[in-house]
Amino acid sequence: MSHNFTKQYIGMHLIYTTLFLFLNIANGFLVNSTIFNEYLSTYNRDLFMIINYMFGDFGFMTILFAFGILFFKKDISRMRYMMIVTLVVSMLCIMSSMYIYNYGTVFAFSNLTALNNPAGGMALEFMLSMATVLFRHAQYLTLIPVIVMVSLYIIYRKKFKSELEGTPVLGYLRSRLYMGFSFIFIGILLMVNALASYQSDIEETWFEENGSVLYGIQTIGMFNYYVYDFYATYLSDITDVKEEKIQALKDYLNDATNPNQESPLNGVLYGNNTDTAHLFEGKNLILIQVESLSNFVIGLEINGVEVTPNLNMMALSGSYFNKFYSTVGIGNTSDAEFSVMTGLYPDGNRVSIYEYERSQYDTLAKAFSQAGYHTFSIHGNVSTFYSRGTNHLAMFGFDTHIGMENLENKTGLVHQWINDYDLLMATLADMEATTEVDFAYPITISCHTPYLEDPVVKAKCEEFGFSASQIKDPMLKGYLEHMFYTDWAIGEFLKALEEAALPEETVVALYGDHGAGIDPSALAEAYSILENEINPILPLIGETEDENHIFYARELSREVPFIIYEATTNPLITPSIYSKVRCSIDIFRTLANLYDLIPTHYFGNDCFSDAPGIAYNPRNMDCFTDEGMIILPSEQVYGNEISQERLQELIEIIKELKGMNDKVLRWGDIS
């Protein structure tokens, strides 16, 4: 170093570099915490996790700093580089916060299996339509490091203009190479050490096989983890499986062949409900998957006007399960289809129909086909979307799938898809065209986020005098209007079913694929004009001052209705509301018992049985039991009083359930 630099100038470099390292590490730390994202299910950090996190991300940022030394000779250029890197990191953190808001969990490279969708152009179009909603909920505090770095850059450039433009601190190439590669070596050492400590920490624990992305991030650092995650997803192919784990799965599957199973929750033997067994044998089944149907909308009124009068009628005149939870992972709607058809949870991080694409699943459609039913699924989007045209046949076993290209647009598209009314009428037409008994699986789409204004929906709301104009939140307003339209379509379908003289021989069941994605604060804001005698609103949304408002919000986002409705004056099942915890995977077993179908395996519970309920959300491990709600990562409980000993028992039961479920997904039926 041939130039005599002032202490102020050297100090300026040290401050700028230190802030570069500290602010970016802090940004990654905060965006994956409840400080920036209160609805994120974070794990309780111990001292080891915090220190290991810092080492991991400090190593990564040190390598980025080293690149600045190697590739930029001038001090001013190196400062610009650090400023731009900080901007990029902040933008990634903003995108991460948007992802967390939308999905309730953190991003993983395995999530990109969604890009396998052949109709990717339409998926991109949808994501762009969601952009305004997501940007509104982005965490812009992640831009603070950019503001700091840009401000200091401007100040330092004015104060040290001549020094910055003159001889650089690291003027010689040899000095830059020596320092640059030294920092790279140190950075790699820190990253690898953090990863090795993490792998040693999870060895022989539940996390070894059921790796949580968020747990990994919280333990080895956000940036460090994503380097590892990229390698594990795309470059690693570890298939070695211990024999004892294979045997454990075989034992689990063998036990599942018996409908009478001991509940892990209380040790009591439960089977299917004998009172409902075979009741619907030989009847048609129309199983409707309703897009974004949240449970809070059942019974909801705006200024005394029902949002879903037809669904309310079905719920009160049929069997209504009001503690029913969606099990979707990152695959959203396609994951709901997967769970209902197979009785299995998705793993949460991957789109199941692409990652676990096999033909040997025991499915509801196959069971109906074996009983002599004509089976078909029908959807208002193109058949290539989520590969339904192939997967619904090869994986689920439907006889046919009907997509948008096979349907007639009679009353106008809603957004870009066949509307729910035309879809349901086409379902009925297909049933009438066959002489066999039918299992029909219509999948609605009109009530799809972000619920932007649509002329068909608007016209129908105006025709019946339905108005949500007093609601300030645009997403909630749009949702209720779209749900009113979908409810109207279902009502018209029930009328057409009666006119076709099919009610006595047909059962209609429906459920929500997942929640509506409505911010609970929007419901709280509109509380004065909302009423709900079936599902009281206030206990669901809570007050933001209430320490339990996070639990209310989580329950609100996961709870969907499941309704079994007999459109007849003499129902075989007495109309009732059932409040035991049940979830999407229970539908297969419930319908199989009602229709005298014989599954190979009995996963989940018969919804009509007395078995205690358990459900988990595979994205973030929010867990629901009749004893209370558990946020598994943080081990928080809401609901009834649960002792610490019982809490740990429940957590181990849930971990075992998810572990075995995911082994079935990965290794298939090896019994």
Side-chain angles (χ1 to χ4, degrees):
M1 198 182 299
S2 59
H3 192 86
N4 292 323
F5 297 101
T6 64
K7 288 183 179 180
Q8 277 190 315
Y9 187 66
I10 297 296
M12 177 272 292
H13 274 291
L14 289 174
I15 291 171
Y16 203 76
T17 302
T18 301
L19 286 173
F20 168 73
L21 296 171
F22 172 77
L23 290 174
N24 284 299
I25 293 171
N27 223 0
F29 184 92
L30 292 170
V31 82
N32 293 290
S33 73
T34 53
I35 298 172
F36 274 8
N37 294 289
E38 66 173 339
Y39 297 118
L40 190 62
S41 298
T42 57
Y43 291 86
N44 295 321
R45 278 186 166 111
D46 55 25
L47 186 60
F48 160 75
M49 291 174 72
I50 294 172
I51 293 173
N52 210 52
Y53 181 102
M54 294 304 173
F55 276 141
D57 269 2
F58 183 76
F60 180 82
M61 293 309 302
T62 299
I63 291 173
L64 290 186
F65 174 65
F67 288 158
I69 293 173
L70 291 172
F71 296 117
F72 299 97
K73 181 179 179 180
K74 289 187 175 182
D75 296 341
I76 189 71
S77 300
R78 199 174 304 118
M79 289 180 70
R80 284 197 205 102
Y81 163 78
M82 287 189 279
M83 184 173 62
I84 292 169
V85 168
T86 302
L87 174 62
V88 171
V89 168
S90 293
M91 294 307 297
L92 289 174
C93 287
I94 286 177
M95 291 169 65
S96 179
S97 71
M98 291 162 63
Y99 190 92
I100 290 168
Y101 173 79
N102 192 48
Y103 287 105
T105 188
V106 293
F107 169 78
F109 282 103
S110 57
N111 302 162
L112 297 179
T113 50
L115 299 179
N116 293 339
N117 195 333
M122 296 184 77
L124 179 60
E125 224 175 289
F126 161 68
M127 288 306 297
L128 290 174
S129 71
M130 279 289 293
T132 53
V133 174
L134 295 177
F135 275 116
R136 194 163 67 243
H137 293 278
Q139 181 51 267
Y140 291 106
L141 288 176
T142 57
L143 289 174
I144 290 176
V146 179
I147 296 170
V148 172
M149 296 299 283
V150 170
S151 299
L152 286 178
Y153 174 81
I154 293 170
I155 293 169
Y156 287 152
R157 185 169 183 180
K158 286 182 178 179
K159 187 172 183 179
F160 300 103
K161 184 176 181 181
S162 59
E163 291 95 328
L164 286 168
E165 295 293 344
T167 304
V169 172
L170 298 174
Y172 296 113
L173 177 61
R174 185 171 60 184
S175 300
R176 293 195 355 259
L177 290 175
Y178 175 77
M179 290 195 69
F181 283 112
S182 294
F183 279 128
I184 287 175
F185 176 76
I186 293 170
I188 292 174
L189 198 64
L190 289 171
M191 290 175 68
V192 170
N193 184 68
L195 176 60
S197 298
Y198 161 73
Q199 291 176 328
S200 175
D201 183 60
I202 66 171
E203 191 174 358
E204 300 298 325
T205 71
W206 182 77
F207 290 104
E208 185 177 21
E209 288 185 347
N210 304 276
S212 163
V213 177
L214 183 56
Y215 185 80
I217 287 173
Q218 287 187 253
T219 307
I220 69 172
M222 174 180 174
F223 311 116
N224 190 20
Y225 182 83
Y226 281 128
V227 172
Y228 164 70
D229 187 44
F230 181 86
Y231 169 79
T233 303
Y234 297 111
L235 304 176
S236 177
D237 186 24
I238 301 173
T239 56
D240 183 39
V241 181
K242 295 179 180 178
E243 181 58 35
E244 59 266 27
K245 293 177 181 177
I246 295 288
Q247 187 57 50
L249 177 58
K250 287 181 178 180
D251 294 341
Y252 173 77
L253 289 170
N254 184 59
D255 291 344
T257 59
N258 188 341
N260 300 309
Q261 300 171 27
E262 183 181 292
S263 170
L265 293 169
N266 62 6
V268 176
L269 201 68
Y270 293 96
N272 292 331
N273 187 314
T274 55
D275 293 335
T276 58
H278 316 163
L279 283 182
F280 297 159
E281 184 178 1
K283 288 179 175 283
N284 297 310
L285 173 63
I286 303 168
L287 178 60
I288 306 173
Q289 178 171 290
V290 184
E291 176 66 43
S292 302
L293 175 58
S294 280
N295 193 50
F296 76 81
V297 82
I298 303 298
L300 187 67
E301 297 179 3
I302 303 178
N303 290 324
V305 179
E306 291 178 290
V307 178
T308 57
N310 295 294
L311 291 176
N312 298 344
M313 179 275 296
M314 293 175 71
L316 297 178
S317 303
S319 300
Y320 170 38
F321 301 89
N322 68 349
K323 286 294 179 184
F324 194 87
Y325 296 93
S326 168
T327 59
V328 300
I330 210 69
N332 280 336
T333 297
S334 71
D335 275 352
E337 296 161 27
F338 180 83
S339 279
V340 170
M341 286 299 119
T342 65
L344 294 166
Y345 289 88
D347 79 348
N349 291 324
R350 298 167 177 81
V351 180
S352 300
I353 58 167
Y354 295 134
E355 188 70 20
Y356 305 113
E357 182 182 0
R358 297 194 306 273
S359 60
Q360 70 266 35
Y361 288 110
D362 181 29
T363 73
L364 186 60
K366 289 177 184 177
F368 271 109
S369 291
Q370 289 162 7
Y373 277 68
H374 166 240
T375 65
F376 69 96
S377 61
I378 179 170
H379 191 266
N381 205 339
V382 293
S383 296
T384 53
F385 204 86
Y386 281 132
S387 301
R388 287 188 177 96
T390 54
N391 283 333
H392 275 220
L393 278 59
M395 182 187 292
F396 297 152
F398 283 101
D399 295 331
T400 55
H401 173 74
I402 302 168
M404 184 178 184
E405 64 276 13
N406 310 119
L407 296 169
E408 188 177 348
N409 172 21
K410 294 183 177 180
T411 58
L413 299 178
V414 169
H415 304 300
Q416 54 185 320
W417 307 299
I418 297 293
N419 68 60
D420 290 349
Y421 173 81
D422 286 346
L423 179 88
L424 293 171
M425 291 306 166
T427 301
L428 183 57
D430 196 87
M431 291 176 65
E432 290 182 301
T434 66
T435 57
E436 304 160 282
V437 283
D438 292 288
F439 168 42
Y441 187 43
I443 303 163
T444 73
I445 194 172
S446 294
C447 189
H448 203 296
T449 185
Y451 319 117
L452 301 176
E453 185 173 294
D454 178 88
V456 174
V457 172
K458 184 179 181 182
K460 197 56 62 179
C461 289
E462 290 176 349
E463 179 183 343
F464 288 92
F466 178 80
S467 174
S469 59
Q470 288 181 265
I471 294 176
K472 297 178 182 178
D473 184 84
M475 196 164 175
L476 176 58
K477 175 180 177 292
Y479 173 67
L480 296 179
E481 290 169 346
H482 282 71
M483 189 47 67
F484 178 85
Y485 173 82
T486 291
D487 178 83
W488 167 81
I490 290 171
E492 293 301 301
F493 174 67
L494 293 177
K495 291 178 187 176
L497 191 67
E498 187 172 354
E499 292 169 3
L502 288 173
E504 297 297 329
E505 55 192 82
T506 302
V507 174
V508 179
L510 62 80
Y511 64 93
D513 59 349
H514 52 71
I518 298 298
D519 193 322
S521 63
L523 283 167
E525 186 181 30
Y527 180 67
S528 62
I529 61 170
L530 299 178
E531 295 178 17
N532 196 325
E533 294 183 2
I534 300 176
N535 291 301
I537 285 291
L538 191 57
L540 286 175
I541 61 173
E543 299 288 352
T544 54
E545 292 79 15
D546 186 338
E547 63 178 4
N548 291 316
H549 82 279
I550 296 294
F551 293 98
Y552 294 134
R554 289 177 182 278
E555 187 170 25
L556 183 78
S557 66
R558 306 300 176 210
E559 203 172 64
V560 298
F562 176 41
I563 300 170
I564 300 174
Y565 174 70
E566 301 172 69
T568 175
T569 53
N570 298 302
L572 297 174
I573 301 176
T574 303
S576 298
I577 296 176
Y578 299 85
S579 296
K580 278 192 175 294
V581 165
R582 295 293 185 258
C583 65
S584 304
I585 73 162
D586 298 323
I587 290 178
F588 183 176
R589 182 168 181 174
T590 303
L591 295 176
N593 187 49
L594 287 166
Y595 278 85
D596 195 24
L597 308 176
I598 304 174
T600 304
H601 297 104
Y602 294 85
F603 298 123
N605 290 314
D606 177 356
C607 288
F608 290 101
S609 78
D610 292 326
I614 188 168
Y616 67 84
N617 181 274
R619 280 188 197 168
N620 64 2
M621 294 309 294
D622 283 352
C623 307
F624 306 91
T625 74
D626 295 317
E627 299 175 56
M629 176 186 171
I630 302 167
I631 300 179
L632 188 141
S634 61
E635 300 186 2
Q636 293 174 279
V637 179
Y638 164 70
N640 302 324
E641 291 274 341
I642 299 178
S643 69
Q644 188 61 32
E645 182 181 1
R646 180 56 176 165
L647 174 60
Q648 293 307 314
E649 288 177 1
L650 290 172
I651 287 173
E652 289 307 311
I653 289 168
I654 294 162
K655 285 181 174 179
E656 177 70 10
L657 173 61
K658 177 168 171 56
M660 284 301 177
N661 179 90
D662 292 357
K663 286 184 179 72
V664 175
L665 297 181
R666 290 196 298 267
W667 302 337
D669 184 356
I670 57 174
S671 58

